[in-house]
Amino acid sequence: MRARWIIAAVVLAAAGVALAVCWQRRAAVPEPPAVAFPPPASDVSQRIEQRLGDDHAFRNDVLFLLAATLRDRCQPAQAGLLARMANRASLPVLAAVSAVTQQDPSLDRPIYQYIQHRADATQCGQPLQMPLAGGRSMAVDIEQYARTFPDSYFDPQRSSEPRDFGGLPLQQRAGNACNSVVYSVLPLGGTDWRCSSLRANARARVRGLCEDELRRQHGGIGGELDAAVGQGMQAAVVSAIAALPEDCR
């Protein structure tokens, strides 16, 4: 079962770049537009911000969309990278937003109005102020968020880069097709620090196995994956995962 899952992950990785392509097609300029996108009505904005304070998953989604929109404008040479890495890392992007709009369809369009207005009104280099419960707010440095992504999706104020990447920049992380397999078999999430550490080490191991197999079959690590790569690495990946404590797999 796990072997079939790994092969399926590789096949999905080969096709799963549509979200990133959409983001890469967005126009980007270095400064806010002369006329910012209008915000939702004040009472609707208050309802959205109340949910941002109460619902962490919704906050993570909205913050990701804000960060990606703002960074595409402020860093046009890296437009689409956050979206591409979110896709590589199998993050639940838009799941929480969809859940909120299913509960309250009247917020569907206003949520995206809110995101576009906040992004338009934010200067490059200026931290985003995200509402929290109890009238508090959280300042999020967008470049720090990008440096520590995808882990920062769940921990927006994270300051340390993901240890399993060995200091590679976001562009190289997002361009590495092996990450689509890595996060399919070892997804982010959970609050157990011991498991988080062990899984980070295992992700580095699985990525190395995948890259070795790519080099063996294709002579390099560029490009997307195919089922043959998945078949070639499945035994080693299953072994690497089996080495983890059962409750961390």
Side-chain angles (χ1 to χ4, degrees), residues 8 37 101 138 146 230 244:
F37 199 86
T101 57
M138 172 178 64
L244 291 170

Side-chain angles (χ1 to χ4, degrees), residues 2 8 14 72 123 133:
R2 186 174 293 275
D72 280 3
Q123 296 282 344

Side-chain angles (χ1 to χ4, degrees), residues 47-223:
R47 286 163 56 201
I48 292 171
E49 292 187 349
Q50 180 65 43
R51 285 183 177 268
L52 287 172
D54 296 340
D55 184 342
H56 285 187
F58 179 62
R59 180 204 66 188
N60 292 343
D61 256 7
V62 170
L63 178 54
F64 165 77
L65 292 170
L66 270 167
T69 302
L70 182 58
R71 199 165 188 273
D72 280 3
R73 167 164 59 80
C74 295
Q75 299 284 349
Q78 298 191 36
L81 285 186
L82 280 175
R84 187 174 179 83
M85 190 65 231
N87 186 44
R88 293 284 194 211
S90 302
L91 295 178
V93 173
L94 300 184
V97 168
S98 296
V100 166
T101 57
Q102 286 175 3
Q103 294 168 11
D104 188 350
S106 70
L107 289 180
D108 191 352
R109 183 173 177 80
I111 286 172
Y112 292 96
Q113 277 186 277
Y114 178 88
I115 290 167
Q116 191 65 61
H117 172 73
R118 290 283 305 278
D120 282 358
T122 303
Q123 296 282 344
C124 296
Q126 176 183 333
L128 278 169
Q129 299 291 332
M130 294 299 293
L132 299 174
R136 297 175 296 116
S137 66
M138 172 178 64
V140 178
D141 182 313
I142 296 303
E143 286 309 304
Q144 177 175 294
Y145 181 88
R147 282 194 304 273
T148 59
F149 198 75
D151 299 59
S152 56
Y153 177 83
F154 296 104
D155 181 11
Q157 289 187 306
R158 181 186 176 101
S159 59
S160 59
E161 297 179 13
R163 53 186 290 190
D164 55 302
F165 280 115
L168 291 177
L170 179 62
Q171 188 165 5
Q172 287 181 256
R173 303 177 203 171
N176 188 332
C178 286
N179 283 325
S180 299
V181 174
V182 168
Y183 287 101
S184 292
V185 298
L186 289 162
L188 289 169
T191 57
D192 186 323
W193 67 267
R194 180 184 64 101
C195 282
S196 294
S197 178
L198 290 172
R199 286 160 71 88
N201 292 336
R203 276 194 289 272
R205 168 80 173 141
V206 170
R207 186 180 298 108
L209 292 169
C210 177
E211 290 174 350
D212 288 345
E213 189 63 23
L214 268 175
R215 290 188 186 96
R216 188 181 72 81
Q217 292 197 30
H218 301 296
I221 63 171

